[in-house]
């Protein structure tokens, strides 16, 4: 098999992977774990010294920070600098978090009718303390010992009072069945600060006040916050994202969001349970949204691959010829991967892996034994789609192959009653089979390049329209290279990829975005000679500027040649350097803003197209919140109240997520905290019909919720082990 050399290389490094700590922390490059049972026992790679503690100790040792551990005499200047920077970054991150919290709380000021001197927050422990200055060693004339004693007493009493208040808060959270994550919301912190400033005697709002005047105020406030999004829609255009799903009661809901460079905004949601899902009905709903957003602002409609959605595309082209229809890229890639996985050579390996995981999770004793060998982690990794779960689980099995082999070769396994069962013997044979591990490696070789595209289109870190077509071109080349450029091995795979791309992800809009992305333009000077791409560019101009031949001619005859031939500013070394690396910081829209001034019409066109999203992930990621809203209690609200509540709730969620993920580059977008799509990996005897329609990209499957659930705490990425106290 083409993967034999890679499999042997992977086998030779098994022993290292067993002890290598899984973390992005730079300190892990300088140590290994010496005890597979206790990962806190580590050994310095540079000098061989063994010690107990976190990776932070290794960084202290390399940086020559005294106090906790002896300094390393073999650490190079480069190593010292790397570790020092890592320690400083951790400290700055903690300080920045503290500063952001303080800045957030400072936004609350209910005493705006008082003089500035009277607006100071109460610091004391009695009513008189409201008028006294806070305890300060510099402000007191007594001895240092006396000052510290007073300060310690104040801190002790303050902590006791704080504990009592937190007990009341926690009690309310428990009784109201509120998610513990809610206390991390900025709105909760603002509420606490406002209550603290008010003091005693505050009367909470009534149910009527929350559903009428205050809901109306919050709706108006949310609309004000979204005005900058509306300005962006007018400036660079936007996409209308549609997505339908079914909740636990099999009610069919269609959501509409508007996406632009600034992020996604929830627009509306409608229950179509008792309405025929015809193309005309759904198109009418979407068309009303187009009118609301503004016809001149909407560039494209992103929709799923269901049959009725295909009919919407024809209606849209007839009534709104200037607006593109594009298939959801994430949904299309998921279906593409599912089709490849059904081929015999992949299906066999996936079935064996499922047989193994079903056995491991079916028996408590076996599950306990497995977790003792893999440090209480799960093998099954739930993903945002069925295939995402398949890929993540195969990847997880491959990473833990050494621990699994150790488990099935251990004395505990021999004494286990299930080792004598038929299922146990089958699982043992799978784990000890070299053909199985070669097959897993082969699957990952083929799936990984396509999963890379999936991550790009499914993430919200930057607009993805400019990367879809180009990343598929690169993914196909990577698959061919991984399979040793043997056509008999890769041809059937490439055929499936091309079949799913055709008429879905190769529209004139995708091709124009590919050409205008400088990352691909500067890498491939022959890109513009491709016949399909040239025709796609012309078709895209004809849709965006119908009948305006003069403008089309200016773009194609005067401005486009300057970009294509890298004339003037396009030929400068800085312009090429700025788009040489497709990392998290690279944004083609910013590139055009900096270097496209000599071609103003092409610049405006590029910024509009490259600002677009390519999938409906922004809608799909909030299904759990949507389901909470569509409950019997919430549905007691009037239609207008329900719409306002949903508008406020979902836009708050979207804005909060965008704020949290803005500075995070290590988020695994495929990983899910909902085990729905992973249940088939731990439960036997369920037909494919029970799993849910494959075209429902992320629709929940209620039946799975009744079966054994995976531990959600184990779903956190194993490559993101963060010690919050390591900088202390």
């Amino acid at each position: 098999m083409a993967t034999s050399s890679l499999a042997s290389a992977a086998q030779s490094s098994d022993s290292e992977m067993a002890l290598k700590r899984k973390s992005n922390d730079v300190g892990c490059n300088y140590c290994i774990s010496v005890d597979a049972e206790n990962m806190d026992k580590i050994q310095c790679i540079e000098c061989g010294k063994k010690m107990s503690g976190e990776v932070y100790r290794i960084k202290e040792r390399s940086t020559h920070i005294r106090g906790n551990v002896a300094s390393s005499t073999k650490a190079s200047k480069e190593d010292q600098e790397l570790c020092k920077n890592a320690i400083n970054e951790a400290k700055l991150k903690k300080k920045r978090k503290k500063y952001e919290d303080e800045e957030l709380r400072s936004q609350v000021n209910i005493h705006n009718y008082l003089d500035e001197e009277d607006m100071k927050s109460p610091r004391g422990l009695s009513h008189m303390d409201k008028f006294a200055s806070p305890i300060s060693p510099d402000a007191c004339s007594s001895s240092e010992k006396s000052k510290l004693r007073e300060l310690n007493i104040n801190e002790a009493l303050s902590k006791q009072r704080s504990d009592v208040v937190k007990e009341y808060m926690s009690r309310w959270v428990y009784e109201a069945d509120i998610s513990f994550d809610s206390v991390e919301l900025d709105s909760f912190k603002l509420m606490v600060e406002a209550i603290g400033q008010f003091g005693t005697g505050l009367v909470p709002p009534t149910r009527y006040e929350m559903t009428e005047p205050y809901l109306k105020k919050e709706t108006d406030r949310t609309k004000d916050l979204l005005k900058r999004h509306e300005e962006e829609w007018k400036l660079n255009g936007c996409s209308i994202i549609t997505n339908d799903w079914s909740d636990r009661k099999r009610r069919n809901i269609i959501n509409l969001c508007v996406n632009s460079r600034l992020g996604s905004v929830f627009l509306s949601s409608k229950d179509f349970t008792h309405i025929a899902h015809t193309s005309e009905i759904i198109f009418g709903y979407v068309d009303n949204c187009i009118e609301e957003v503004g016809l001149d602002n909407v560039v494209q409609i992103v929709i799923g691959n269901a049959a009725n959605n295909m009919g919407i595309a024809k209606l849209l082209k007839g009534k709104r010829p200037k607006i593109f229809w594009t298939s959801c890229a994430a949904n299309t890639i998921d279906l593409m991967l599912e089709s490849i996985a059904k081929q015999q050579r992949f299906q066999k390996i996936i079935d064996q892996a499922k047989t193994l995981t079903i056995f491991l999770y079916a028996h408590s004793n076996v599950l306990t034994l497995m977790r003792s060998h893999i440090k209480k982690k799960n093998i099954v990794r739930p993903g945002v789609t069925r295939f995402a779960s398949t890929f993540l689980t195969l990847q997880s099995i491959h990473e833990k192959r050494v621990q699994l082999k150790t488990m099935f070769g251990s004395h505990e396994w021999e004494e286990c009653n299930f080792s004598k069962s038929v299922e146990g013997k089958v699982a043992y044979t799978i784990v000890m089979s070299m053909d199985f591990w070669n097959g897993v490696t082969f699957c990952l070789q083929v799936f990984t390049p396509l999963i890379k595209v999936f991550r790009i289109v499914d993430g919200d870190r930057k607009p993805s329209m400019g990367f879809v077509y180009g990343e598929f071109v690169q993914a196909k080349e990577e698959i061919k290279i991984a399979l040793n450029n043997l056509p008999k091995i890769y041809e059937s795979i490439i055929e499936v990829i091309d079949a799913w791309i055709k008429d879905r992800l190769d529209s004139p809009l995708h091709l124009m975005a590919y050409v205008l992305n400088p990352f691909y333009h500067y890498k491939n000077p022959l890109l513009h000679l491709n016949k399909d791409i040239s025709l796609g560019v012309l078709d895209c101009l004809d849709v965006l500027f119908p009948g305006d031949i003069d403008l089309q001619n200016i773009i194609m005859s005067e401005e486009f040649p300057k970009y294509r031939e890298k004339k003037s500013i396009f030929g400068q070394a800085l312009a090429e350097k700025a788009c040489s690396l497709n990392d998290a910081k690279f944004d083609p829209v910013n590139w055009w803003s900096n270097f496209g001034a000599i071609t103003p019409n092409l610049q405006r066109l590029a910024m509009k197209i490259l600002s677009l999203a390519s999938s409906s992930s922004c809608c799909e990621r909030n299904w759990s919140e949507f389901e909470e809203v569509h409950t019997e209690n919430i549905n007691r609200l009037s239609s207008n109240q329900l719409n306002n509540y949903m508008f406020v709730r979902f836009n708050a969620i979207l804005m909060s997520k965008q704020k949290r993920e803005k500075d995070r580059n290590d988020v695994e977008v495929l990983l899910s905290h909902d085990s729905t799509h992973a249940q088939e990996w731990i439960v036997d005897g369920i037909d494919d019909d029970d799993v849910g329609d494959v075209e429902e990209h992320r629709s929940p499957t209620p039946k799975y919720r009744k079966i054994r659930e995976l531990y959600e705490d184990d779903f956190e990425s194993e490559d993101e082990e963060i010690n919050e106290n390591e900088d202390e």
Side-chain angles (χ1 to χ4, degrees):
M1 185 177 286
T3 61
S4 58
S5 59
L6 286 174
S8 60
Q11 186 180 17
S12 65
S13 63
D14 282 352
S15 58
E16 295 182 9
M17 293 185 64
L19 297 176
K20 182 69 176 176
R21 297 176 66 93
K22 291 183 176 293
S23 175
N24 293 327
D25 195 310
V26 67
C28 292
N29 297 329
Y30 304 102
C31 69
I32 59 173
S33 295
V34 295
D35 186 353
E37 299 295 327
N38 184 2
M39 297 295 284
D40 286 339
K41 292 184 178 181
I42 54 180
Q43 180 179 13
C44 179
I45 295 177
E46 296 173 335
C47 63
K49 181 178 176 60
K50 297 180 181 180
M51 64 191 79
S52 296
E54 295 293 334
V55 179
Y56 184 69
R57 295 286 179 265
I58 289 292
K59 290 187 287 189
E60 284 184 317
R61 179 175 171 78
S62 298
T63 316
H64 295 183
I65 297 178
R66 299 183 181 277
N68 293 320
V69 66
S71 300
S72 173
T73 58
K74 297 186 178 181
S76 65
K77 293 291 185 182
E78 183 181 358
D79 294 336
Q80 292 180 32
E81 192 66 24
L82 285 173
C83 292
K84 182 179 179 180
N85 291 338
I87 292 174
N88 291 336
E89 285 178 7
K91 291 181 178 179
L92 286 175
K93 183 177 180 181
K94 187 171 184 178
K95 289 180 180 179
R96 186 164 55 247
K97 176 68 166 60
K98 182 179 180 181
Y99 172 77
E100 290 174 353
D101 285 345
E102 290 176 350
E103 187 178 32
L104 180 70
R105 295 169 74 91
S106 68
Q107 298 176 16
V108 180
N109 190 348
I110 68 172
H111 304 293
N112 54 7
Y113 56 90
L114 298 176
D115 294 334
E116 182 177 353
E117 185 175 337
D118 294 328
M119 289 193 292
K120 295 179 180 178
S121 301
R123 300 293 185 99
L125 302 175
S126 67
H127 293 294
M128 288 301 296
D129 288 326
K130 295 180 181 180
F131 306 99
S133 299
I135 295 176
S136 171
D138 298 330
C140 189
S141 59
S142 59
S143 65
E144 187 69 21
K145 189 173 182 180
S146 176
K147 296 178 208 173
L148 293 175
R149 186 185 305 114
E150 291 177 6
L151 185 60
N152 290 338
I153 292 173
N154 185 65
E155 289 178 348
L157 293 174
S158 177
K159 186 179 185 305
Q160 291 178 6
R161 289 159 55 88
S162 175
D163 287 343
V164 173
V165 173
K166 290 178 180 179
E167 286 180 15
Y168 280 101
M169 289 181 178
S170 301
R171 188 179 306 159
W172 174 71
V173 168
Y174 305 148
E175 291 184 5
D177 191 22
I178 295 174
S179 170
F180 298 158
D181 293 335
S182 299
V183 300
E184 299 295 331
L185 296 176
D186 289 347
S187 54
F188 178 81
K189 298 174 184 177
L190 292 172
M191 177 193 72
V192 171
E193 181 66 22
I195 294 174
Q197 289 186 20
F198 184 90
T200 61
L202 174 65
V203 179
T206 64
R207 175 183 171 84
Y208 165 77
E209 289 175 330
M210 294 188 71
T211 57
E212 284 291 346
Y214 294 126
L215 180 58
K216 178 64 168 62
K217 287 182 180 180
E218 192 62 21
T219 302
D220 294 338
R221 190 187 75 88
T222 303
K223 290 180 179 179
D224 288 338
L225 292 175
L226 298 180
K227 283 183 178 179
R228 68 189 192 98
H229 286 262
E230 295 175 0
E231 294 172 358
E232 176 65 23
W233 302 346
K234 295 178 182 179
L235 182 63
N236 288 320
C238 63
S239 307
I240 292 181
I241 312 291
T242 70
N243 178 253
D244 62 296
W245 61 283
S246 298
D247 64 8
R248 301 184 189 186
K249 296 184 178 180
R250 295 299 182 182
R251 289 176 297 190
N252 189 264
I253 313 295
I254 293 183
N255 308 316
L256 291 180
C257 293
V258 184
N259 180 273
S260 68
R261 249 176 76 76
L262 294 181
S264 300
V265 171
F266 174 80
L267 196 64
S268 66
S269 179
K270 189 172 182 179
D271 188 344
F272 277 80
T273 304
H274 304 295
I275 304 176
H277 293 189
T278 63
S279 300
E280 292 76 13
I281 295 295
I282 300 177
F283 173 73
Y285 181 44
V286 175
D287 194 51
N288 289 336
C289 175
I290 295 175
E291 294 286 351
E292 183 178 348
V293 174
L295 180 60
D296 294 334
N297 301 332
V298 181
V299 180
Q300 68 165 346
I301 307 294
V302 181
I303 203 164
N305 288 284
N308 55 353
N309 292 338
M310 301 298 109
I312 297 174
K314 297 179 181 179
L315 295 172
L316 180 68
K317 188 174 182 180
K319 186 175 181 179
R320 310 291 187 188
K322 292 180 61 176
I323 298 178
F324 288 95
W325 165 88
T326 58
S327 178
C328 172
N331 182 209
T332 303
I333 296 173
D334 189 58
L335 298 175
M336 177 192 301
L337 290 165
E338 291 273 7
S339 298
I340 295 174
K342 289 179 180 178
Q343 294 183 4
Q344 178 62 31
R345 47 185 167 175
F346 300 105
Q347 189 66 59
K348 177 183 177 181
I349 299 300
I350 294 174
D351 287 343
Q352 286 181 321
K354 285 183 179 179
T355 299
L356 173 62
T357 57
I358 288 171
F359 171 74
L360 293 174
Y361 281 86
H363 311 289
S364 298
N365 292 340
V366 179
L367 185 60
T368 301
L369 179 61
M370 178 196 75
R371 285 189 171 139
S372 68
H373 280 78
I374 61 175
K375 307 310 297 177
K376 299 182 180 179
K377 292 289 184 179
N378 268 309
I379 285 182
V380 176
R381 311 290 289 167
V384 292
T385 67
R386 285 181 63 195
F387 189 84
S389 295
T390 297
F391 174 80
L392 292 173
T393 302
L394 282 177
Q395 190 178 59
S396 177
I397 290 174
H398 185 264
E399 291 172 352
K400 299 176 178 66
R401 60 190 181 279
V402 174
Q403 293 93 324
L404 289 173
K405 291 178 182 179
T406 302
M407 168 194 158
F408 279 96
S410 66
H411 180 66
E412 294 94 332
W413 170 250
E414 293 179 357
E415 293 184 344
C416 180
N417 293 333
F418 294 103
S419 64
K420 309 299 189 299
S421 66
V422 176
E423 295 86 353
K425 293 179 180 178
V426 171
Y428 176 88
T429 302
I430 291 174
V431 171
M432 296 302 179
S433 170
M434 197 60 200
D435 289 340
F436 171 71
W437 294 114
N438 288 341
V440 172
T441 302
F442 176 68
C443 289
L444 294 177
Q445 282 180 309
V446 174
F447 296 149
T448 298
L450 296 175
I451 287 294
K452 177 185 175 183
V453 189
F454 198 129
R455 288 191 176 101
I456 291 175
V457 302
D458 207 46
D460 286 335
R461 294 200 55 81
K462 60 183 179 181
S464 58
M465 178 57 71
F467 298 95
V468 177
Y469 194 86
E471 289 303 309
F472 267 118
V473 172
Q474 185 171 334
K476 288 190 285 187
E477 289 302 315
E478 290 177 2
I479 290 174
K480 292 178 182 178
I481 294 173
L483 302 183
N484 296 331
N485 287 310
L486 298 175
K488 64 179 181 180
I489 299 178
Y490 69 70
E491 272 184 351
S492 61
I493 300 170
I494 301 300
E495 287 175 1
V496 173
I497 296 173
D498 290 337
W500 278 106
I501 291 177
K502 185 174 177 56
D503 298 329
R504 290 181 178 86
L505 303 179
D506 61 351
S507 71
L509 190 63
H510 290 95
L511 296 175
M512 177 66 94
Y514 175 49
V515 170
L516 294 177
N517 190 332
F519 174 72
Y520 305 110
H521 167 67
Y522 281 82
K523 285 179 61 177
N524 182 10
L526 303 179
L527 180 151
H528 306 275
L529 301 180
N530 184 288
K531 176 184 175 182
D532 294 333
I533 293 175
S534 298
L535 293 175
V537 169
L538 295 175
D539 290 342
C540 183
L541 290 175
D542 192 45
V543 172
L544 292 174
F545 309 110
D548 195 343
I549 303 299
D550 292 336
L551 180 56
Q552 293 183 35
N553 183 57
I554 291 174
I555 293 175
M556 290 302 300
S557 301
E558 298 179 17
E559 298 186 348
F560 204 86
K562 296 179 182 179
Y563 170 65
R564 182 178 63 243
E565 298 167 15
K566 303 180 180 64
K567 293 181 178 180
S568 185
I569 193 173
F570 293 126
Q572 291 186 3
L574 180 59
E576 185 171 357
K577 177 66 175 178
C579 62
S580 61
L581 186 62
N582 183 17
D583 56 11
K585 298 179 180 179
F586 172 64
D587 185 348
V589 177
N590 288 336
W591 188 92
W592 274 98
S593 177
N594 294 330
F595 303 104
I598 62 171
T599 56
N601 295 299
L602 186 62
Q603 182 188 46
R604 290 285 302 115
L605 176 64
M607 292 177 67
K608 175 173 286 192
I609 292 178
L610 296 173
S611 296
L612 300 175
S614 63
S615 70
S616 58
S617 303
C618 59
C619 279
E620 296 163 355
R621 224 173 254 123
N622 298 289
W623 272 347
S624 59
E625 280 80 12
F626 279 114
E627 191 157 14
E628 289 178 12
V629 169
H630 290 278
T631 60
E632 294 181 0
N633 290 333
I634 295 298
N635 281 330
R636 292 173 185 171
L637 298 174
S638 66
S639 176
N640 185 56
Q641 291 172 341
L642 180 60
N643 289 334
N644 287 340
Y645 174 75
M646 293 169 63
F647 180 78
V648 169
R649 169 93 181 262
F650 299 140
N651 280 308
I653 292 170
L654 288 171
M655 287 186 286
S656 177
K657 286 185 176 180
Q658 290 163 9
K659 180 180 178 181
R660 288 199 310 269
E661 297 178 0
K662 183 178 180 180
D663 299 323
R664 293 192 62 188
N665 298 325
D666 56 350
V667 178
E668 173 56 272
V669 298
L670 299 184
L671 196 63
S672 172
H673 287 282
D674 185 351
S675 61
T676 297
H677 292 292
Q679 295 298 332
E680 62 181 303
W681 281 83
I682 58 175
V683 180
D684 197 4
I686 294 183
D687 297 328
D688 288 340
D689 293 339
D690 292 330
V691 175
D693 188 357
V694 71
E695 290 196 337
E696 294 179 8
H697 183 37
R698 304 181 189 205
S699 59
T701 309
K703 183 173 182 179
Y704 282 158
R705 300 185 186 276
K706 300 178 182 178
I707 310 171
R708 177 204 295 269
E709 292 289 340
L710 300 176
Y711 294 104
E712 293 192 359
D713 290 343
D714 295 333
F715 295 169
E716 298 296 337
S717 174
E718 295 177 16
D719 295 330
E720 298 174 16
E721 296 177 2
I722 300 174
N723 182 5
E724 296 179 353
N725 299 319
E726 71 170 6
D727 57 324
E728 295 182 357

